[in-house]
mmCIF file of all heavy atoms in Angstrom:
data_model
loop_
_atom_site.group_PDB
_atom_site.id
_atom_site.type_symbol
_atom_site.label_atom_id
_atom_site.label_comp_id
_atom_site.label_asym_id
_atom_site.label_seq_id
_atom_site.Cartn_x
_atom_site.Cartn_y
_atom_site.Cartn_z
ATOM 1 N N ASP A 1 34.753 -143.519 59.823
ATOM 2 C CA ASP A 1 34.896 -144.936 59.467
ATOM 3 C C ASP A 1 36.278 -145.551 59.861
ATOM 4 O O ASP A 1 36.536 -146.683 59.501
ATOM 5 C CB ASP A 1 34.627 -145.157 57.969
ATOM 6 C CG ASP A 1 35.567 -144.294 57.080
ATOM 7 O OD1 ASP A 1 36.232 -143.366 57.651
ATOM 8 O OD2 ASP A 1 35.673 -144.554 55.930
ATOM 9 N N LEU A 2 37.043 -144.826 60.612
ATOM 10 C CA LEU A 2 38.362 -145.370 60.987
ATOM 11 C C LEU A 2 38.197 -146.504 61.977
ATOM 12 O O LEU A 2 37.501 -146.415 62.981
ATOM 13 C CB LEU A 2 39.192 -144.240 61.678
ATOM 14 C CG LEU A 2 40.559 -144.662 62.185
ATOM 15 C CD1 LEU A 2 41.461 -145.079 60.985
ATOM 16 C CD2 LEU A 2 41.211 -143.535 62.955
ATOM 17 N N VAL A 3 38.918 -147.575 61.661
ATOM 18 C CA VAL A 3 38.904 -148.740 62.554
ATOM 19 C C VAL A 3 40.366 -148.898 63.018
ATOM 20 O O VAL A 3 41.274 -149.005 62.185
ATOM 21 C CB VAL A 3 38.451 -150.042 61.838
ATOM 22 C CG1 VAL A 3 38.629 -151.206 62.709
ATOM 23 C CG2 VAL A 3 37.057 -149.878 61.321
ATOM 24 N N PHE A 4 40.520 -148.847 64.306
ATOM 25 C CA PHE A 4 41.885 -149.005 64.862
ATOM 26 C C PHE A 4 42.285 -150.452 64.835
ATOM 27 O O PHE A 4 41.524 -151.365 65.205
ATOM 28 C CB PHE A 4 41.949 -148.483 66.291
ATOM 29 C CG PHE A 4 42.033 -147.017 66.389
ATOM 30 C CD1 PHE A 4 40.901 -146.245 66.621
ATOM 31 C CD2 PHE A 4 43.272 -146.375 66.240
ATOM 32 C CE1 PHE A 4 40.977 -144.898 66.720
ATOM 33 C CE2 PHE A 4 43.358 -144.951 66.319
ATOM 34 C CZ PHE A 4 42.200 -144.236 66.536
ATOM 35 N N PRO A 5 43.531 -150.741 64.319
ATOM 36 C CA PRO A 5 43.983 -152.101 64.316
ATOM 37 C C PRO A 5 44.289 -152.543 65.773
ATOM 38 O O PRO A 5 44.269 -151.775 66.717
ATOM 39 C CB PRO A 5 45.291 -151.991 63.560
ATOM 40 C CG PRO A 5 45.676 -150.644 63.508
ATOM 41 C CD PRO A 5 44.468 -149.760 63.786
ATOM 42 N N VAL A 6 44.563 -153.811 65.906
ATOM 43 C CA VAL A 6 44.931 -154.509 67.148
ATOM 44 C C VAL A 6 43.980 -154.178 68.310
ATOM 45 O O VAL A 6 44.400 -153.881 69.452
ATOM 46 C CB VAL A 6 46.401 -154.303 67.546
ATOM 47 C CG1 VAL A 6 47.343 -154.895 66.517
ATOM 48 C CG2 VAL A 6 46.792 -152.843 67.750
ATOM 49 N N ALA A 7 42.706 -154.212 67.975
ATOM 50 C CA ALA A 7 41.628 -154.036 68.934
ATOM 51 C C ALA A 7 41.637 -152.658 69.656
ATOM 52 O O ALA A 7 41.177 -152.536 70.793
ATOM 53 C CB ALA A 7 41.560 -155.166 69.921
ATOM 54 N N GLY A 8 42.311 -151.697 69.042
ATOM 55 C CA GLY A 8 42.386 -150.358 69.669
ATOM 56 C C GLY A 8 43.366 -150.205 70.754
ATOM 57 O O GLY A 8 43.439 -149.186 71.423
ATOM 58 N N ASN A 9 44.238 -151.228 70.938
ATOM 59 C CA ASN A 9 45.263 -151.150 71.976
ATOM 60 C C ASN A 9 46.356 -150.173 71.529
ATOM 61 O O ASN A 9 46.503 -149.883 70.326
ATOM 62 C CB ASN A 9 45.891 -152.492 72.246
ATOM 63 C CG ASN A 9 45.005 -153.468 72.963
ATOM 64 O OD1 ASN A 9 44.333 -153.037 73.896
ATOM 65 N ND2 ASN A 9 44.909 -154.669 72.465
ATOM 66 N N ASP A 10 47.112 -149.624 72.465
ATOM 67 C CA ASP A 10 48.313 -148.886 72.128
ATOM 68 C C ASP A 10 49.295 -149.736 71.418
ATOM 69 O O ASP A 10 49.392 -150.968 71.726
ATOM 70 C CB ASP A 10 49.013 -148.306 73.387
ATOM 71 C CG ASP A 10 48.313 -147.174 73.998
ATOM 72 O OD1 ASP A 10 47.303 -146.639 73.419
ATOM 73 O OD2 ASP A 10 48.731 -146.672 75.085
ATOM 74 N N TRP A 11 50.026 -149.169 70.421
ATOM 75 C CA TRP A 11 51.034 -149.962 69.747
ATOM 76 C C TRP A 11 52.200 -149.062 69.344
ATOM 77 O O TRP A 11 52.080 -147.882 69.247
ATOM 78 C CB TRP A 11 50.422 -150.696 68.560
ATOM 79 C CG TRP A 11 49.470 -149.901 67.736
ATOM 80 C CD1 TRP A 11 48.114 -149.839 67.858
ATOM 81 C CD2 TRP A 11 49.787 -149.030 66.582
ATOM 82 N NE1 TRP A 11 47.532 -148.991 66.907
ATOM 83 C CE2 TRP A 11 48.534 -148.498 66.115
ATOM 84 C CE3 TRP A 11 50.945 -148.642 65.938
ATOM 85 C CZ2 TRP A 11 48.422 -147.664 65.015
ATOM 86 C CZ3 TRP A 11 50.868 -147.818 64.844
ATOM 87 C CH2 TRP A 11 49.670 -147.328 64.373
ATOM 88 N N TRP A 12 53.300 -149.739 69.081
ATOM 89 C CA TRP A 12 54.523 -149.110 68.647
ATOM 90 C C TRP A 12 55.098 -149.803 67.439
ATOM 91 O O TRP A 12 55.220 -151.046 67.429
ATOM 92 C CB TRP A 12 55.533 -149.151 69.773
ATOM 93 C CG TRP A 12 55.074 -148.500 71.026
ATOM 94 C CD1 TRP A 12 55.360 -147.153 71.390
ATOM 95 C CD2 TRP A 12 54.255 -149.026 72.082
ATOM 96 N NE1 TRP A 12 54.729 -146.856 72.621
ATOM 97 C CE2 TRP A 12 54.055 -147.992 73.005
ATOM 98 C CE3 TRP A 12 53.671 -150.282 72.268
ATOM 99 C CZ2 TRP A 12 53.294 -148.178 74.185
ATOM 100 C CZ3 TRP A 12 52.865 -150.446 73.459
ATOM 101 C CH2 TRP A 12 52.684 -149.403 74.341
ATOM 102 N N LEU A 13 55.377 -149.057 66.433
ATOM 103 C CA LEU A 13 55.996 -149.633 65.200
ATOM 104 C C LEU A 13 57.550 -149.394 65.208
ATOM 105 O O LEU A 13 57.969 -148.299 65.571
ATOM 106 C CB LEU A 13 55.484 -148.875 63.985
ATOM 107 C CG LEU A 13 54.100 -149.292 63.442
ATOM 108 C CD1 LEU A 13 53.618 -148.303 62.447
ATOM 109 C CD2 LEU A 13 54.185 -150.698 62.834
ATOM 110 N N PHE A 14 58.237 -150.390 64.782
ATOM 111 C CA PHE A 14 59.727 -150.306 64.676
ATOM 112 C C PHE A 14 60.083 -150.537 63.269
ATOM 113 O O PHE A 14 59.851 -151.666 62.732
ATOM 114 C CB PHE A 14 60.365 -151.320 65.629
ATOM 115 C CG PHE A 14 60.015 -151.082 67.046
ATOM 116 C CD1 PHE A 14 58.958 -151.750 67.643
ATOM 117 C CD2 PHE A 14 60.735 -150.161 67.848
ATOM 118 C CE1 PHE A 14 58.588 -151.507 68.958
ATOM 119 C CE2 PHE A 14 60.403 -149.924 69.220
ATOM 120 C CZ PHE A 14 59.302 -150.633 69.755
ATOM 121 N N ASP A 15 60.618 -149.493 62.624
ATOM 122 C CA ASP A 15 61.081 -149.554 61.228
ATOM 123 C C ASP A 15 59.997 -150.122 60.251
ATOM 124 O O ASP A 15 60.307 -150.706 59.213
ATOM 125 C CB ASP A 15 62.348 -150.407 61.085
ATOM 126 C CG ASP A 15 63.490 -149.810 61.912
ATOM 127 O OD1 ASP A 15 63.573 -148.552 61.944
ATOM 128 O OD2 ASP A 15 64.357 -150.543 62.395
ATOM 129 N N ASP A 16 58.736 -149.905 60.638
ATOM 130 C CA ASP A 16 57.581 -150.352 59.781
ATOM 131 C C ASP A 16 57.658 -151.867 59.482
ATOM 132 O O ASP A 16 57.075 -152.323 58.489
ATOM 133 C CB ASP A 16 57.500 -149.557 58.487
ATOM 134 C CG ASP A 16 57.097 -148.102 58.665
ATOM 135 O OD1 ASP A 16 56.832 -147.721 59.855
ATOM 136 O OD2 ASP A 16 57.048 -147.374 57.664
ATOM 137 N N LYS A 17 58.306 -152.608 60.351
ATOM 138 C CA LYS A 17 58.442 -154.054 60.116
ATOM 139 C C LYS A 17 58.030 -154.873 61.367
ATOM 140 O O LYS A 17 57.646 -156.023 61.267
ATOM 141 C CB LYS A 17 59.861 -154.432 59.778
ATOM 142 C CG LYS A 17 60.276 -153.861 58.441
ATOM 143 C CD LYS A 17 61.722 -154.173 58.097
ATOM 144 C CE LYS A 17 62.052 -153.562 56.764
ATOM 145 N NZ LYS A 17 63.325 -153.085 56.641
ATOM 146 N N LEU A 18 58.137 -154.259 62.559
ATOM 147 C CA LEU A 18 57.909 -154.952 63.768
ATOM 148 C C LEU A 18 56.914 -154.135 64.670
ATOM 149 O O LEU A 18 57.001 -152.858 64.632
ATOM 150 C CB LEU A 18 59.170 -155.165 64.562
ATOM 151 C CG LEU A 18 59.199 -156.048 65.769
ATOM 152 C CD1 LEU A 18 58.904 -157.514 65.385
ATOM 153 C CD2 LEU A 18 60.518 -155.980 66.490
ATOM 154 N N LEU A 19 55.981 -154.781 65.277
ATOM 155 C CA LEU A 19 54.896 -154.133 65.995
ATOM 156 C C LEU A 19 54.880 -154.680 67.437
ATOM 157 O O LEU A 19 54.867 -155.895 67.639
ATOM 158 C CB LEU A 19 53.606 -154.378 65.306
ATOM 159 C CG LEU A 19 52.368 -153.763 65.939
ATOM 160 C CD1 LEU A 19 52.341 -152.273 65.740
ATOM 161 C CD2 LEU A 19 51.108 -154.406 65.341
ATOM 162 N N ALA A 20 54.858 -153.751 68.408
ATOM 163 C CA ALA A 20 54.589 -154.177 69.818
ATOM 164 C C ALA A 20 53.281 -153.617 70.199
ATOM 165 O O ALA A 20 52.973 -152.425 70.020
ATOM 166 C CB ALA A 20 55.745 -153.584 70.667
ATOM 167 N N VAL A 21 52.420 -154.511 70.697
ATOM 168 C CA VAL A 21 51.061 -154.128 71.130
ATOM 169 C C VAL A 21 51.029 -154.156 72.628
ATOM 170 O O VAL A 21 51.340 -155.147 73.292
ATOM 171 C CB VAL A 21 50.033 -155.141 70.521
ATOM 172 C CG1 VAL A 21 48.646 -154.721 70.959
ATOM 173 C CG2 VAL A 21 50.120 -155.189 69.031
ATOM 174 N N GLY A 22 50.719 -152.988 73.222
ATOM 175 C CA GLY A 22 50.603 -152.874 74.652
ATOM 176 C C GLY A 22 49.328 -153.356 75.210
ATOM 177 O O GLY A 22 48.241 -153.192 74.622
ATOM 178 N N HIS A 23 49.367 -153.985 76.344
ATOM 179 C CA HIS A 23 48.217 -154.481 77.065
ATOM 180 C C HIS A 23 48.192 -153.900 78.441
ATOM 181 O O HIS A 23 49.231 -153.873 79.180
ATOM 182 C CB HIS A 23 48.221 -156.000 77.126
ATOM 183 C CG HIS A 23 48.085 -156.592 75.732
ATOM 184 N ND1 HIS A 23 46.944 -156.720 75.055
ATOM 185 C CD2 HIS A 23 49.042 -157.158 74.982
ATOM 186 C CE1 HIS A 23 47.150 -157.234 73.868
ATOM 187 N NE2 HIS A 23 48.475 -157.538 73.846
ATOM 188 N N PHE A 24 47.047 -153.423 78.900
ATOM 189 C CA PHE A 24 46.886 -152.738 80.155
ATOM 190 C C PHE A 24 45.639 -153.274 80.826
ATOM 191 O O PHE A 24 44.661 -153.723 80.213
ATOM 192 C CB PHE A 24 46.660 -151.221 79.965
ATOM 193 C CG PHE A 24 47.810 -150.583 79.198
ATOM 194 C CD1 PHE A 24 47.817 -150.572 77.824
ATOM 195 C CD2 PHE A 24 48.832 -149.990 79.900
ATOM 196 C CE1 PHE A 24 48.849 -149.963 77.070
ATOM 197 C CE2 PHE A 24 49.912 -149.407 79.143
ATOM 198 C CZ PHE A 24 49.879 -149.440 77.808
ATOM 199 N N ASP A 25 45.620 -153.221 82.153
ATOM 200 C CA ASP A 25 44.403 -153.598 82.908
ATOM 201 C C ASP A 25 43.448 -152.391 82.960
ATOM 202 O O ASP A 25 43.760 -151.356 82.423
ATOM 203 C CB ASP A 25 44.660 -154.177 84.230
ATOM 204 C CG ASP A 25 45.239 -153.189 85.310
ATOM 205 O OD1 ASP A 25 45.142 -151.980 85.068
ATOM 206 O OD2 ASP A 25 45.667 -153.644 86.352
ATOM 207 N N ASP A 26 42.302 -152.602 83.631
ATOM 208 C CA ASP A 26 41.316 -151.511 83.675
ATOM 209 C C ASP A 26 41.758 -150.268 84.358
ATOM 210 O O ASP A 26 41.194 -149.176 84.245
ATOM 211 C CB ASP A 26 40.040 -152.027 84.261
ATOM 212 C CG ASP A 26 39.335 -153.066 83.410
ATOM 213 O OD1 ASP A 26 39.569 -153.076 82.173
ATOM 214 O OD2 ASP A 26 38.481 -153.832 83.921
ATOM 215 N N THR A 27 42.801 -150.380 85.194
ATOM 216 C CA THR A 27 43.331 -149.194 85.947
ATOM 217 C C THR A 27 44.463 -148.538 85.222
ATOM 218 O O THR A 27 44.985 -147.541 85.689
ATOM 219 C CB THR A 27 43.760 -149.594 87.366
ATOM 220 O OG1 THR A 27 44.904 -150.476 87.219
ATOM 221 C CG2 THR A 27 42.696 -150.334 88.151
ATOM 222 N N GLY A 28 44.899 -149.087 84.039
ATOM 223 C CA GLY A 28 45.962 -148.478 83.299
ATOM 224 C C GLY A 28 47.320 -149.100 83.576
ATOM 225 O O GLY A 28 48.340 -148.654 83.043
ATOM 226 N N ARG A 29 47.357 -150.092 84.475
ATOM 227 C CA ARG A 29 48.612 -150.738 84.785
ATOM 228 C C ARG A 29 49.060 -151.557 83.609
ATOM 229 O O ARG A 29 48.285 -152.281 83.003
ATOM 230 C CB ARG A 29 48.432 -151.610 86.061
ATOM 231 C CG ARG A 29 49.731 -152.267 86.578
ATOM 232 C CD ARG A 29 49.499 -153.007 87.883
ATOM 233 N NE ARG A 29 48.462 -154.041 87.742
ATOM 234 C CZ ARG A 29 48.715 -155.287 87.449
ATOM 235 N NH1 ARG A 29 49.943 -155.724 87.294
ATOM 236 N NH2 ARG A 29 47.764 -156.161 87.371
ATOM 237 N N VAL A 30 50.344 -151.504 83.313
ATOM 238 C CA VAL A 30 50.913 -152.166 82.143
ATOM 239 C C VAL A 30 50.982 -153.716 82.451
ATOM 240 O O VAL A 30 51.514 -154.119 83.463
ATOM 241 C CB VAL A 30 52.324 -151.707 81.860
ATOM 242 C CG1 VAL A 30 52.960 -152.523 80.724
ATOM 243 C CG2 VAL A 30 52.327 -150.219 81.493
#
C-alpha cells in the first residue's frame, strides 16, 4: 500500500525542511 510522494520522482531531503524533486526525461537525462 506504499504510495510514493511527488509522483514517484527521485527526491532529496535537506534537514527534513527542504525538498528537491528531480525531473528526468525518458532516457534518464536530468
Side-chain angles (χ1 to χ4, degrees):
D1 57 345
L2 178 65
V3 175
F4 281 97
V6 297
N9 290 315
D10 284 356
W11 43 268
W12 299 265
L13 279 168
F14 300 92
D15 297 328
D16 291 356
K17 294 179 181 145
L18 189 65
L19 179 73
V21 180
H23 297 283
F24 304 85
D25 70 13
D26 292 339
T27 66
R29 187 174 57 93
V30 176

